[in-house]
Amino acid sequence: MSMLLSSYVIILTITLMSLGIGLSISEYFPYRYKSITKLFLSPVIGLAIMMIYSIPIGYFVSHKPIFFIFLAAASLFLLILNIKKRPENLKIICIICIFMLIGASFSTLFTLIYYGQYNPFNDTWTYISQAQWLQSHPFNEKALASGFYPAFSQVTLYQAQGSRVGPSFLMALTQAGWFIKWSYYVYPAMLTVALGFGALASGSLVSLISHANKKKVLLISLTIFIMPSGFVYGALTGFYPMTFGLLFIIALSSFLSMGADHILRKNKNSFAIILASAIMFSAFLYSYNDYLPFLLLALTISFFTIIYWDKKIIKNLLIMIF
């Protein structure tokens, strides 16, 4: 199987797995936000849970395929149950899969289509080195730091640092589950998933603010997926965990906006929104916590702005945050 074809297969598989988990949780959202969550945010919810699932496996387990197979079976089982319960969700699934395939073809997979390969000699090398090492080692096993094994330096560096490892664990788990020999062949698909889901999550913010037609918002999301921008440039030049970090920040912003709007409409806190926000925050911390000071600053400013707008909601707002 060519790298291009295998990338498309992995993208579709991870998307369907994410939707199986995400759509199941989206059913518990307040009615006002359910359609937005299903179309734009359910893949992110599923991906975040999958990445969090991969973290203890990455840290402590050397032989990983069975854990991916279990995750794939459980998530696809949830997807089938969800389609049986809500047949209209099949349309959402098809739309998101088509969105991912079109966007991937004009962004992250374009070099594979044109050249049959991509350039790993940037920060990409760091993360494919980590995923490759994790195929036969748990992350808590000390890597050999030696000039004879330069790739291992990228493992020892992150073992000492202890952060930005979540996306690498997810890539390693996916590689193991597909029995792919080299992580070089898995990286484009995983990067595509992060970039595409991030574009969809951006669409949720557009939809929440403008209440625009869903087709127009999908077109805007597709533009974000493929247009020249800092988000796309960073992804294409090896900023792998940063792309995941931005993805989860965008999704977190959407869920917190929903939560604040829900409270401002004189409703009680929604447990589903709070849970999704907590999952996004946790996934963000394991992806790229260097953004944390900026995130906390933005949240602080938003908190006091909302309190200034309506002081009566301070109790519910504090409950949602903590």
Side-chain angles (χ1 to χ4, degrees):
M1 186 185 295
S2 69
M3 181 160 55
L4 178 61
L5 180 58
S6 65
S7 294
Y8 280 127
V9 172
I10 294 171
I11 289 167
L12 284 176
T13 304
I14 297 297
T15 299
L16 291 173
M17 290 169 63
S18 300
L19 285 169
I21 300 168
L23 284 173
S24 301
I25 294 176
S26 300
E27 291 293 339
Y28 297 97
F29 271 66
Y31 179 78
R32 184 179 185 86
Y33 315 106
K34 189 175 290 187
S35 63
I36 294 176
T37 304
K38 283 185 176 182
L39 184 56
F40 297 106
L41 291 167
S42 58
V44 190
I45 297 173
L47 185 68
I49 291 174
M50 288 166 59
M51 196 191 77
I52 293 170
Y53 168 84
S54 73
I55 289 169
I57 297 169
Y59 265 107
F60 302 112
V61 178
S62 57
H63 189 68
K64 302 172 178 65
I66 188 64
F67 294 95
F68 180 85
I69 294 168
F70 170 77
L71 177 62
S75 55
L76 293 176
F77 177 71
L78 286 174
L79 186 67
I80 294 169
L81 286 181
N82 199 278
I83 293 172
K84 284 186 175 181
K85 183 178 179 181
R86 304 281 186 185
E88 64 272 17
N89 285 346
L90 183 60
K91 181 180 178 181
I92 294 173
I93 294 167
C94 291
I95 289 171
I96 292 174
C97 288
I98 293 170
F99 173 91
M100 291 297 296
L101 293 178
I102 294 174
S105 299
F106 289 95
S107 59
T108 47
L109 299 189
F110 185 78
T111 56
L112 292 185
I113 295 171
Y114 194 80
Y115 297 107
Q117 57 189 341
Y118 68 96
N119 176 25
F121 298 109
N122 45 42
D123 283 11
T124 301
W125 184 72
T126 295
Y127 309 110
I128 62 176
S129 298
Q130 292 171 0
Q132 192 64 43
W133 187 81
L134 286 165
Q135 295 310 298
S136 54
H137 305 272
F139 194 69
N140 67 348
E141 178 185 322
K142 188 67 174 176
L144 177 64
S146 167
F148 292 104
Y149 304 97
F152 289 2
S153 65
Q154 303 306 303
V155 180
T156 56
L157 175 64
Y158 278 69
Q159 285 179 331
Q161 184 176 313
S163 62
R164 305 186 196 177
V165 291
S168 295
F169 288 169
L170 181 60
M171 179 162 57
L173 181 65
T174 304
Q175 179 185 346
W178 280 98
F179 300 97
I180 296 174
K181 187 174 182 179
W182 300 109
S183 52
Y184 175 85
Y185 296 100
V186 183
Y187 180 84
M190 300 308 298
L191 184 66
T192 300
V193 167
L195 188 60
F197 288 6
L200 278 173
S202 300
S204 71
L205 286 172
V206 174
S207 189
L208 284 169
I209 294 168
S210 66
H211 305 286
N213 180 276
K214 295 291 192 300
K215 293 179 181 178
K216 292 181 180 178
V217 178
L218 278 170
L219 182 59
I220 292 170
S221 298
L222 185 60
T223 304
I224 294 170
F225 196 171
I226 65 178
M227 71 181 292
S229 65
F231 189 36
V232 175
Y233 174 79
L236 295 179
T237 50
F239 296 168
Y240 178 65
M242 300 77 158
T243 305
F244 273 84
L246 285 173
L247 157 67
F248 295 129
I249 283 181
I250 295 167
L252 176 62
S253 300
S254 295
F255 290 127
L256 291 178
S257 298
M258 287 180 190
D261 181 68
H262 191 63
I263 295 170
L264 285 167
R265 294 177 185 278
K266 311 304 179 185
N267 297 303
K268 293 183 179 180
N269 276 301
S270 165
F271 176 75
I273 294 176
I274 293 174
L275 176 63
S277 300
I279 291 171
M280 292 306 116
F281 187 67
S282 176
F284 156 72
L285 290 177
Y286 280 110
S287 298
Y288 195 70
N289 56 14
D290 294 41
Y291 293 140
L292 184 59
F294 303 101
L295 176 63
L296 294 178
L297 177 62
L299 291 177
T300 302
I301 294 172
S302 300
F303 175 79
F304 285 107
T305 302
I306 295 170
I307 293 301
Y308 178 78
W309 186 271
D310 188 347
K311 295 181 176 63
K312 295 179 182 179
I313 67 165
I314 186 169
K315 179 180 177 182
N316 282 333
L317 197 61
L318 287 170
I319 291 173
M320 182 182 75
I321 292 173
F322 293 105

